[in-house]
DNA sequence: CAGTGAGCGAGCTTCCGCTTGACTT
């Protein structure tokens, strides 16, 4: 029984903080948000001042009960949720629930709001000593954000159900993510490779060393990427160049430095883990969560590059003792957040100690890899820059009309590179031969090379997260979920770790960008954030801000629901006449399995053909015959064959389909049912019972006796069978829409 | 459950952002 209760969001945090504060304090976790808008219509009422109908989430009841019972016996409650918009709202929701549950008892409890951005004893104590009250403006801003997301999603999605296909979704975040992928695909399709030629000179120095240099000027003009665009031009240039004599005319030496990258935040961690370790965004986050819970790293959902003083000090000590003073900068390196709308509630992602490598901590293999990545990146950010000697040589023709250049780079001091190299920024030493000005260079060969420009690459998980972050769309806690949503809706697919839009995804994007451009604009979120900031600062009120958004949005959705026909979206005219009826026009339509061509005259004419450019439908192998006669139609020679459903599931059905529609899931055998005498049984291999025979007749339900026997004692031994069954039933309506 | 769509219209789907478990086959 504690006099003082502290509420935080995460249970891992609560344990640490409890240690700092001692016996008089009990720390409880809210486990994130405790109330939310139910996923159904009417949770926000725009007609009634945007009234928000919050409900306690299923999983939160337990947590709220624990909090209420502790607070009921306490004198002080410290709301210590994260110091950002969402955190402020969580505190408010918790308080609202406390008031509702404890009623008058709450009068005896003093309520304080405290915040800290790092979990250290001093920071937490300082926070407790400097409480404030809840910030209503910040809470209002969060509510505006929540209502807007709900209204956009729950207004646009039903339009998609009616106009495109059931079960689809649209939202402020996911629709822009989808748009990025679709527009990239359009760019790739519209891309026309352009030819260009590069020309390298291969020279010999006076000491017979080789030098490769790029053509830098030609006929007195600087050579650019598209200076030579065909073979004839390139050949002519080569001929001219071959006739010249060359010498070194300039040697330029300078020192160059490169600074380390900032420590990880969620998005950069996901990107680097993807590139360096091949982890998906989801895998990175669950692995990081384990490390966080074990106390090995700081919080993994953050958009701040800030580092705690103590951590910086510990890094400097470790760097100094491990590699020497020359790797420790005079003053700690300081990093600033690039993003505009960063909430900066947490620290950057770093390890909690620096003297241990992942291998020393006896972690799982994946955890070790991620731990080391995080530790190295953090340490590197507090190390000295890498230093190079950079040399540029100019090889000029005697005519002074043409010149080549070569650059070389030698690492003279590794600095942070000793520990960490960001992928895509690798540095290789490139050595140049030792030459002096006026040295004659003999031409060994002038090499022309043909190139073509390449289309922009399709997004990977990493590059998509990066793009979203740059637009300020989505949050650290949602990047992985956004990707899952696009995949779940089958808007996109991943192939060799690259995103490809599916037909439905492209149709949805086309529809949304054509008719709801403003709401799927890349800057829509940024504009929203400006408004939310104004609300946070008390400069605007949340209801008028929502009104300003809602009135035109509502009007637009009503107009579009009326004016845009389903066929405008999902059908595309081709101008071809139907070869079957000779009257109808062939349209490209969206079917369950993608797009196809069909006659306009449907349903009178049912002519269809596959879309060109589609993968040719593989010639169907004749289905495997089981030799078992069909027990239903009993037609002569009607046997059961093995087939694959459209979803890839194997089933067995009568070979005379569609005449006879008899079908079973498991493999049939000729053996009459001992119970109902149905002529066949089915067999299935299971791990637990081996081969199980069953009667396919549902009303019979006979099963292999051995199975029943072996199963029986288990039922008795586990009287909680009913209890274990419940979640299974609960699980059924979840996702996995079949 | 076996090639696809229209419209009729039961009953149903859907947002974003916080946080962790604890069901299995």
């Amino acid at each position: 029984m504690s006099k003082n209760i502290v509420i935080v969001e995460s249970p891992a945090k609560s344990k640490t903080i409890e240690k700092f504060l001692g016996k008089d304090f009990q720390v409880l976790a809210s486990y994130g948000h405790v109330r939310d808008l139910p996923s159904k219509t009417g949770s926000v009422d725009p007609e009634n001042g945007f009234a928000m109908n919050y409900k306690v989430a299923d999983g939160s009841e337990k947590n709220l009960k624990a909090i209420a019972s502790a607070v009921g016996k306490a004198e002080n409650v410290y709301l210590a949720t994260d110091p950002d918009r969402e955190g402020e709202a969580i505190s408010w929701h918790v308080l609202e629930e406390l008031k509702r549950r404890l009623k008058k008892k709450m009068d005896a409890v003093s309520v304080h709001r405290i915040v800290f951005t790092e979990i250290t004893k001093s920071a937490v104590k300082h926070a407790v000593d400097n409480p404030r009250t809840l910030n209503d403006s910040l809470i209002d801003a969060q509510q505006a954000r929540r209502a807007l997301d709900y209204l956009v999603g729950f207004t646009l999605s039903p339009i998609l159900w009616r106009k495109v296909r059931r079960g689809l979704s649209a939202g402020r975040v996911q629709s822009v993510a989808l748009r990025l992928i679709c527009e990239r695909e359009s760019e790739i399709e519209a891309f026309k490779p352009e030819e260009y030629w590069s020309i390298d000179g291969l020279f010999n120095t006076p000491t017979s060393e080789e030098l490769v240099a790029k053509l830098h000027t030609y006929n007195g003009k600087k050579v650019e990427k598209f200076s030579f665009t065909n073979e004839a031009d390139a050949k002519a240039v080569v001929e001219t160049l071959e006739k010249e004599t060359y010498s070194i005319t300039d040697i330029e030496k300078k020192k160059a430095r490169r600074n380390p990258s900032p420590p990880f935040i969620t998005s950069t961690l996901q990107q680097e883990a993807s590139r360096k370790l091949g982890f998906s965004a989801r895998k990175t986050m669950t692995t990081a969560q384990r490390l966080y819970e074990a106390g090995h790293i700081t919080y993994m959902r953050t958009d701040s590059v800030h580092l705690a003083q103590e951590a910086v000090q510990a890094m400097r000590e470790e760097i100094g003792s491990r590699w020497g003073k020359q790797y420790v900068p005079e003053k700690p390196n300081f990093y600033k957040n690039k993003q505009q709308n960063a909430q900066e509630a947490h620290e950057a992602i770093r390890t909690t100690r620096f003297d241990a490598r992942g291998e020393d901590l006896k972690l799982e293999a994946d955890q070790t890899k991620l731990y080391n990545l995080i530790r190295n990146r953090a340490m590197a950010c507090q190390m000295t820059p890498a230093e190079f000697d950079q040399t540029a040589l100019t090889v000029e023709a005697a005519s002074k009309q043409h010149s080549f250049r070569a650059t070389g780079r030698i690492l003279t001091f590794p600095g942070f590179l000793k520990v960490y190299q960001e992928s895509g920024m690798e540095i290789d030493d490139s050595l140049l031969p030792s030459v002096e000005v006026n040295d004659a260079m003999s031409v060994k060969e002038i090499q022309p090379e043909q190139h073509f420009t390449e289309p922009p690459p399709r997004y990977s998980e990493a590059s998509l997260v990066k793009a979203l972050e740059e637009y300020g769309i989505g949050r650290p806690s949602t990047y992985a979920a956004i990707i899952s949503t696009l995949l779940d809706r089958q808007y996109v697919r991943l192939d060799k770790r690259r995103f490809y839009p599916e037909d439905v995804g492209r149709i949805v994007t086309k529809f949304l960008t054509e008719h709801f451009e403003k709401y799927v604009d890349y800057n829509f979120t940024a504009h929203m954030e400006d408004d939310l900031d104004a609300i946070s600062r008390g400069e605007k009120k949340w209801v008028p801000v929502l009104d300003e958004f809602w009135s035109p949005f509502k009007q637009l959705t009503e107009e579009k629901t009326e004016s845009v026909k389903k066929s405008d979206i999902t059908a595309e005219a081709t101008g071809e006449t139907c070869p079957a009826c000779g009257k109808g026009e062939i349209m490209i339509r969206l079917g369950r399995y993608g797009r196809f061509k069909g006659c306009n005259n449907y349903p009178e004419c049912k002519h269809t053909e596959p879309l060109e450019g589609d993968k040719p439908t593989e010639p169907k192998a004749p289905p495997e015959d089981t030799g078992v006669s069909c027990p239903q139609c009993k037609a002569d020679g009607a046997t059961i064959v093995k087939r694959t459903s459209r979803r890839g599931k194997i089933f067995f059905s009568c070979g005379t389909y569609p005449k006879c529609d008899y079908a079973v899931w498991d493999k049939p055998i000729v053996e009459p049912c001992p119970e109902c005498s149905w002529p066949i049984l089915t067999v299935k291999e299971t791990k637990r019972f081996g081969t199980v025979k069953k009667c396919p007749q549902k009303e019979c339900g006979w099963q292999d006796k051995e199975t029943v026997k072996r199963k029986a004692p288990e039922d008795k031994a586990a009287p909680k069978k009913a209890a274990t069954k419940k979640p299974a039933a609960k699980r059924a309506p979840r996702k996995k829409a079949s």
Side-chain angles (χ1 to χ4, degrees), chain A residues 147-217:
Chain A
L148 185 141
D149 281 333
Y150 172 89
L151 290 170
V152 170
F154 278 64
T155 309
L156 286 182
S157 298
I159 298 177
L160 294 179
W161 305 341
R162 295 180 54 185
K163 305 286 182 193
V164 183
R165 180 183 294 180
R166 58 165 288 144
L168 298 181
S169 62
R172 172 177 60 85
V173 170
Q174 61 168 284
S175 296
V176 182
L178 176 61
R179 183 178 178 185
L180 278 166
I181 294 171
C182 291
E183 289 189 347
R184 177 58 55 88
E185 197 67 24
S186 302
E187 277 175 57
I188 293 169
E189 280 169 2
F191 185 81
K192 297 220 170 60
E194 285 179 67
E195 183 180 355
Y196 65 96
W197 288 72
S198 67
I199 291 162
D200 285 352
L202 201 58
F203 299 94
N204 276 335
T205 69
T207 53
S208 293
E209 283 182 276
E210 263 191 10
L211 171 73
V212 185
K214 283 184 166 28
L215 184 63
H216 183 63
T217 55

Side-chain angles (χ1 to χ4, degrees), chain A residues 34 55-63 730:
Chain A
V34 294
K55 286 264 151 44
V56 172
D58 280 352
S60 298
E61 186 53 43
K62 193 178 64 185
N63 308 323
K730 223 187 203 174

Side-chain angles (χ1 to χ4, degrees), chain A residues 68-69 71-72 97-106:
Chain A
S69 103
V71 171
E97 281 298 311
L98 285 173
K99 286 181 189 160
R100 188 170 73 84
R101 284 153 200 257
L102 299 173
K103 301 198 174 73
K104 284 215 166 140
K105 263 201 222 165
M106 273 309 279

Side-chain angles (χ1 to χ4, degrees), chain A residues 397-408:
Chain A
S399 69
K400 302 275 176 200
Q401 285 303 297
H402 325 297
S403 70
F404 290 83
R405 284 194 91 177
T407 53

Side-chain angles (χ1 to χ4, degrees), chain A residues 623-644 651-666 668 678 680:
Chain A
E624 198 181 306
D625 196 338
T626 61
V628 176
S629 303
C630 177
Q632 182 173 283
C633 69
K634 291 179 181 133
D636 206 24
T639 52
I640 304 287
V641 295
K642 185 179 175 179
R643 312 193 98 120
T644 312
F651 69 102
F652 297 85
S653 69
C654 181
T656 65
Y657 178 86
K659 264 194 209 162
C660 166
D661 65 353
Y662 187 75
V664 290
W665 284 119
D666 301 326
W678 186 251
I680 66 161

